[in-house]
Amino acid sequence: MNDVCCAVHAYDALKARFARIATIEEVAAILHWDTSVTMPAGSAPARGEQMATLAGLAHQLLTAPELAGHLEDAEERAGMLSAADRRNLALMRRKWLRATALPGDLVEATARAASACETAWRTARRESDFAAVAPLLAEVVRLMREQATALSAATGLAPYDALLDGFQPGLTDARLAEIFGPLEAALVRLLPRVLERQAAASEPVPLAGPFPVEAQRGLCRMLAERVGIDFATARLDESTHPFCGGTPTDTRITTRYREDDAAQAILGVLHECGHALYERNLPRDWARQPLGEAAGMAVHESQSLIVEMQACRSDAFLSWLAPRMWAAFGGDPAPYAPANLARLWRRVRLGFIRVEADEVTYPLHVILRWRLERALIAGELAVAELPGAWNEGMRALLGLEVPDDVRGCLQDIHWYDGAFGYFPSYTLGAMAAAQLYAAALAAVPEIPSRLAEGDLAPLVGWLREHVHAHGARHGFDDLLRAATGRPLDPAVFVAHLEARYLG
């Protein structure tokens, strides 16, 4: 077999193998959605075994001995491949390296432990009982430390860096310290000024409930459709923790409804729709290939936040949304005036809950979680000490006394599901969203006027061209450089906050 045929054969074999792995991961994604939305509680043990089996099967396919030879053959003759295929091949090597660093029994054990812990977390959260889930979380942390150590040995990264790298390639703890240190300092200076400015103004008029759940469902579905979600290949359901799951061709969005607070569901759905649009607009020609995946979770979070925070909390979009909210819920129309709605939804508060936090305080919630999770992985913080450390951190960062664990360390699903290293992506995403939105406005000046008509198509079109369609072709900073002319610049985010809240 000549060199060209050998390279093509090896690369084609790799593409077939990675497509099979991706299909298994799609099945796992649907089962994960089902676990959170429709699965009977008593079925959790069996579901844990199912998830562990799928994780183990995907791991076996990725670590099979013949893949090493295929990778070497294809890489030796990579010059015969297109630039896109070479990038795809490099991403295959990355996935293989991370997978072969982890023994199969560790992968299955972690999946099994995370499934059990997540199931127990739902009850513990409802009852604000950290002690009930602490032993299961301790096991998840133990297994994640093992994974971090193994990945560190294979990649040369520090253990926590190896976990960060799994969510946003190239991200390190040192880089986060460079970003979060100055950001925290800027927010500490900004927050009192914003609160003082708010205190000097009249209070916004609160929206008076109750807000019937059925009316919320109808409004949320309509908003998802306006953003660009086609429900021929999508669902909108309820779960304890809102998320966007499924696959690029089978979108599963969830939210949660409260009859005393419609904003939580409305803004939550808009946020998850940003995630969904990214997945649905990834390059179809590279479906089920590494190149056809998202560029990392910080990029993913930028897409949810550009929809929710940048576009849908803008004055233009709220001028369209406000009368439709009043039509859905009725009552006194005064609170639904666009200016009042803007003041309500852009109001800065010192609060306990990350997913309910405003743009100014939200990064401080993330910084707390970053500090705690790296301490857990380093073995510097025991799981039993987590509630106390959490409460101390909230006191230091926001001056709040946490009254119970449901408003403390039980509020987020991430650690109980084994997602250590994810939280920093939220704030990196917020920064990137501000930078991308500024670039989109400069390139497409009609975006605000179209948002005033409830039309996100010009913005989504720009994102599809400059972000979505590239898949994993670029790293985080390279993608931003191509789209905006520069890598991540936190000063753009701070300037956005100053303009919105002090301008």
Side-chain angles (χ1 to χ4, degrees):
M1 185 180 295
N2 62 38
D3 286 352
V4 174
C5 291
C6 185
V8 170
H9 172 75
Y11 181 59
D12 285 346
L14 288 167
K15 288 179 69 176
R17 178 63 61 92
F18 275 85
R20 187 171 181 82
I21 293 167
T23 304
I24 293 171
E25 291 171 345
E26 289 179 1
V27 174
I30 297 300
L31 282 181
H32 186 274
W33 166 86
D34 178 76
T35 300
S36 298
V37 175
T38 65
M39 184 192 76
S43 301
R47 178 56 47 84
E49 291 299 320
Q50 293 161 4
M51 297 297 287
T53 298
L54 288 172
L57 180 57
H59 187 261
Q60 289 171 15
L61 288 171
L62 188 50
T63 58
E66 64 270 20
L67 253 69
H70 290 327
L71 286 166
E72 290 175 4
D73 287 343
E75 288 167 344
E76 285 176 3
R77 303 163 180 85
M80 302 173 186
L81 301 175
S82 69
D85 282 312
R86 289 196 298 273
R87 174 62 174 168
N88 195 43
L89 179 59
L91 293 169
M92 289 173 173
R93 168 63 77 175
R94 168 188 160 80
K95 284 179 175 286
W96 176 87
L97 179 64
R98 292 182 64 87
T100 53
L102 302 176
D105 57 354
L106 177 58
V107 172
E108 291 198 30
T110 304
R112 191 176 293 112
S115 180
C117 188
E118 180 194 338
T119 300
W121 164 79
R122 289 193 224 111
T123 301
R125 182 182 184 277
R126 186 168 58 249
E127 299 175 358
S128 191
D129 184 4
F130 179 76
V133 74
L136 295 170
L137 178 59
E139 177 63 5
V140 171
V141 170
R142 184 187 70 80
L143 292 166
M144 290 308 301
R145 285 176 183 160
E146 283 192 33
Q147 287 207 15
T149 300
L151 289 167
S152 175
T155 62
L157 298 170
Y160 181 58
D161 287 351
L163 297 181
L164 290 171
D165 185 70
F167 292 108
Q168 185 55 62
L171 183 61
T172 66
D173 190 50
R175 176 63 174 143
L176 286 175
E178 292 175 355
I179 295 170
F180 285 168
L183 177 62
E184 180 182 354
L187 294 176
V188 167
R189 292 191 299 269
L190 180 67
L191 182 55
R193 296 169 60 202
V194 173
L195 293 175
E196 181 180 2
R197 183 186 180 103
Q198 284 186 171
S202 59
E203 289 279 329
V205 182
L207 301 179
F211 306 96
V213 169
E214 282 304 314
Q216 291 188 57
R217 284 198 186 101
L219 182 60
C220 286
R221 185 181 177 94
M222 182 272 288
L223 289 173
E225 290 174 331
R226 295 294 299 196
V227 170
I229 302 301
D230 179 1
F231 280 100
T233 55
R235 289 183 59 92
L236 174 58
D237 295 281
E238 297 176 51
S239 67
T240 302
H241 191 98
F243 67 92
C244 174
T247 76
T249 56
D250 185 359
T251 302
R252 306 297 174 97
I253 298 169
T254 74
T255 191
R256 57 187 179 212
Y257 301 103
R258 285 173 43 182
E259 292 209 337
D260 64 338
D261 181 14
Q264 184 176 112
I266 292 169
L267 296 174
V269 166
L270 290 169
H271 180 96
E272 301 305 336
C273 282
H275 284 302
L277 288 172
Y278 189 16
E279 288 291 321
R280 293 167 74 87
N281 289 328
L282 288 169
R284 292 293 178 90
D285 289 347
W286 293 96
R288 295 178 176 158
Q289 293 297 308
L291 187 63
E293 297 175 359
M297 293 315 303
V299 180
H300 231 305
E301 293 302 336
S302 77
Q303 298 310 286
S304 62
L305 291 167
I306 201 170
V307 170
E308 179 207 349
M309 285 292 187
Q310 299 291 331
C312 293
R313 296 200 197 208
S314 69
D315 290 339
F317 186 80
L318 293 178
S319 70
W320 175 85
L321 176 61
R324 286 157 181 83
M325 287 185 62
W326 178 65
F329 302 125
D332 182 2
Y336 293 97
N340 187 68
L341 198 59
R343 292 171 63 204
L344 280 172
W345 285 3
R346 299 203 295 254
R347 193 156 185 82
V348 176
R349 297 181 180 87
L350 302 180
F352 301 106
I353 307 301
R354 175 187 62 85
V355 297
E356 298 174 4
D358 54 85
E359 287 181 287
V360 179
T361 61
Y362 190 103
L364 298 175
H365 288 267
V366 169
I367 288 170
L368 170 64
R369 286 154 176 80
W370 164 59
R371 289 172 175 162
L372 292 176
E373 72 176 11
R374 65 178 181 173
L376 284 167
I377 294 301
E380 298 167 356
L381 178 67
V383 167
E385 299 169 334
L386 181 58
W390 182 289
N391 298 348
E392 289 177 13
M394 286 294 287
R395 189 180 304 117
L397 286 167
L398 290 168
L400 297 175
E401 296 293 333
V402 180
D404 49 44
D405 289 337
V406 74
R407 281 173 283 188
C409 63
L410 280 174
Q411 65 182 267
D412 296 307
I413 194 174
H414 302 63
W415 294 337
Y416 303 91
D417 195 33
F420 287 84
Y422 190 113
F423 279 118
S425 292
Y426 288 119
T427 289
L428 295 179
M431 294 177 179
Q435 192 164 320
L436 288 165
Y437 192 65
L441 291 179
V444 190
E446 68 180 277
I447 286 175
S449 63
R450 296 288 288 276
L451 288 176
E453 300 170 358
D455 184 4
L456 276 76
L459 174 61
V460 173
W462 187 90
L463 292 171
R464 184 182 296 114
E465 178 183 354
H466 294 279
V467 179
H468 304 167
H470 293 281
R473 189 182 299 267
H474 304 298
F476 181 55
D477 275 329
D478 286 342
L479 181 64
L480 286 172
R481 189 178 288 107
T484 72
R486 54 181 159 173
L488 181 68
D489 184 355
V492 176
F493 178 64
V494 174
H496 157 71
L497 295 180
E498 290 175 340
R500 176 171 279 185
Y501 295 97
L502 295 175

